[in-house]
Amino acid sequence: MDSISTKVGYGGNPMHKRSPGDFKLNPPSDGRQHKTLCDRAKVFTRAEATRLLKQGAAYGLVSDAMKGDWPKNIWAVAQNGEPVEAILENETQGIYHGYSMGDSDPMAASVRQRWSAATCR
Amino acid sequence: MERGDMPVGFSIDAQWQACQHGLAEDRATAAKLRIAFDELVATRVESDWSREVQDRVHVSAYPLAMWFAANWWRLRWEPYPATGVPSPSWRMAHEVAAAGHGFLWPRLIFASDGPTVEAVCHASRPNSGEPVRYLSDFRCAVPATSFEAAVDDFVADVIAQLETRGGVGQDLSTLWEEVKAEREDPVESVRRRLEARLGCDPDEAPEEILAHLLELSGEAGESALDEIAPALSGSATGIEDAIRKTVVAAHGKGVRVAVDLPSALHQHSVPDGTPPWDRGRSLAGAARKAWRLPSDGISDEELARLLDAPKKAFLPDSAHNPGIPFGLAVREDDGAHLKLVFGKRNAPGIRFEAARFLADHLTAPKSDAWLPATRTKTVRQKMQRAFAAELLCPIDALDSFMNGDYSDDRMEEAADHFGVSVLTAKSQLANHDLIPPEIVRV
């Protein structure tokens, strides 16, 4: 998983942004679809989003499902304790965009548990 | 809101929308989605920004269609877990929110009882901070045929939309073709159904366990095995051990009883679509009449006489523990005798289980030699419980006994009088709207 964590990159998706942060997306935010917001996880910088993505991959919090050489999903827990999920958007370059998992996603509890176990190792 | 009594229709309708961002398959299937159960709308939302309320949510249909396709067997056949606490795997397979892709899905849960799929919808938590808040809170039962038709139509619509948008998301059509082929194959569909009832995703159940269970179906009966499988999946010592103990229990010691089955009971029928609890109560009324039982409950002596067994056979026997997480009756070849292996260890529980075995003996397919009384919420188990409650603790007699006093002390006196648990007495009263359902849960 270490090799994946060094290669993955963060792209971003304006549909998950209320606050545009420093993501430099075009448009900066687009709330037309009903999506969970990164704001909830208080991830407002590209550097923090990238750090979470790489950390999740390094901890092995990746999906069994693969697309090409990349796991379809990578999970992490933001500094405020909010579980976040990244989904592969570019299979050639390994670029992901991420979002808060929200209250009702049944996967969120497992992510918290596995993240906690990985950070205690 | 409760609509658990009568079956309702189910529909998933997507109005396609343009979308500029996100994954190709999500863009291609961006939609205003409406999920409804007759007049109950699971996708009724209030916008956090405009405070506008609408019946459609802006999501992409592809992740939801993938979730339905990937979990089709478990959604269609797996009941709510016998332990009462759903595992992460159960939740991923039964809660719509697991469709993911970062969309705000409704808190909608599906659980099969066999002929129907129960849908439970919860409103969003207040102050969730999300762009929309789901408003609906209801529970209803969808006939399995309606569930299958709605899912089939929805997935087909999404696949057609993906094709018109350049053929992205082909993994959905590939997976759906596999599911359809399995459903049409009589051998494969039996395996997949059993696997789902064990709580396993497709190809996840160990081959030797499936083979063992399929072999057992010849002895136990196919429908009986459908009931036993979900009860085995929560076993602390593993499924293989639970199967072994079940076989030992079926061939071991038990209480031998004789059951008179008058033709009036064989001919007892209820209209199609009658909920299982109504069916159980109706059958209990017919049984009381056919067996000439008193209308104010059944004493231990009357139960022993009815089953042609000594009274002491229904007393707890601490020396006998079959070690299986359910009760089991085994039909003898003569059709007149049963061997009862009680899973319950207390007198009211044993009486209740004996009555459940009677219900199952009256209604189970002739091909079933084993009659399981499990903790799961399949239609067969629901019917057994309703029958047993009404036979041992008839609602009219119970209501008369309570005489308007629903205090805990009076409940305990009623349970003692009718020889049932306090929970059974409370459930009978709640199921007839004589006390609020919250009192049962407390």
Side-chain angles (χ1 to χ4, degrees), chain A residues 11 20-28 46:
Chain A
D22 77 346
F23 293 98
K24 296 187 174 66
L25 299 170
N26 184 20
R46 186 172 286 277

Side-chain angles (χ1 to χ4, degrees), chain B residues 39-55:
Chain B
E39 77 278 14
L40 303 172
V41 182
T43 46
R44 181 162 294 157
V45 288
E46 180 187 44
S47 165
D48 181 38
W49 295 330
S50 66
R51 296 290 168 198
E52 182 191 356
V53 174
Q54 49 189 296
D55 279 356

Side-chain angles (χ1 to χ4, degrees), chain A residues 38-99:
Chain A
C38 291
D39 309 55
R40 185 189 162 104
K42 304 204 181 306
V43 178
F44 298 120
T45 64
R46 186 172 286 277
E48 176 61 1
T50 306
R51 184 191 71 78
L52 286 169
L53 181 70
K54 288 178 178 290
Q55 193 72 72
Y59 284 170
L61 269 72
V62 300
S63 62
D64 291 337
M66 301 287 286
K67 282 195 167 182
D69 295 334
W70 310 98
K72 188 184 163 206
N73 295 106
I74 297 174
W75 293 278
V77 175
Q79 285 188 345
N80 69 348
E82 184 73 26
V84 290
E85 178 176 277
I87 193 164
L88 182 66
E89 63 179 27
N90 183 323
E91 290 177 42
T92 314
Q93 296 170 297
I95 304 294
Y96 291 73
H97 74 259
Y99 38 84

Side-chain angles (χ1 to χ4, degrees), chain A residues 18 33-36 40 67, chain B residues 49 58-59 102-104 128:
Chain A
R18 182 173 287 176
Q33 278 200 307
H34 294 148
K35 290 207 157 201
T36 59
R40 185 189 162 104
K67 282 195 167 182
Chain B
W49 295 330
H58 289 226
V59 291
F103 292 101
L104 286 165
S128 68

Side-chain angles (χ1 to χ4, degrees), chain B residues 10 12 68 72-73 75-77 114-115 117 142-155 176 183:
Chain B
F10 174 39
I12 315 171
F68 273 120
W72 193 90
W73 288 101
L75 286 166
R76 175 62 191 87
W77 291 108
V117 177
V142 181
T145 47
S146 302
F147 178 83
E148 290 186 10
V151 172
D152 286 357
D153 289 349
F154 172 65
V155 177
W176 192 238
R183 286 164 60 181

Side-chain angles (χ1 to χ4, degrees), chain B residues 303 307 314 340 342 349-359:
Chain B
L303 184 65
L307 293 169
F314 303 100
L340 311 185
F342 293 113
I350 289 170
R351 280 165 52 85
F352 197 77
E353 213 166 47
R356 289 181 65 176
F357 291 142
L358 279 175

Side-chain angles (χ1 to χ4, degrees), chain A residues 13-16 18 26-27 30 32-37 40 67 72 87-89 99 102-104 106-107 110, chain B residues 21-23 25 30 48-49 57-60 88 91-92 97-98 101-104 107 125 128 130-132:
Chain A
N13 182 335
M15 289 194 292
H16 289 290
R18 182 173 287 176
N26 184 20
D30 179 353
R32 257 188 311 165
Q33 278 200 307
H34 294 148
K35 290 207 157 201
T36 59
L37 297 170
R40 185 189 162 104
K67 282 195 167 182
K72 188 184 163 206
I87 193 164
L88 182 66
E89 63 179 27
Y99 38 84
D103 273 340
S104 53
M107 186 77 185
S110 301
Chain B
H21 305 287
L23 308 181
E25 54 270 31
D48 181 38
W49 295 330
V57 62
H58 289 226
V59 291
S60 287
R91 294 188 62 200
M92 291 297 289
H101 280 221
F103 292 101
L104 286 165
R107 293 177 65 204
R125 293 186 182 93
S128 68
E130 300 292 5
V132 289

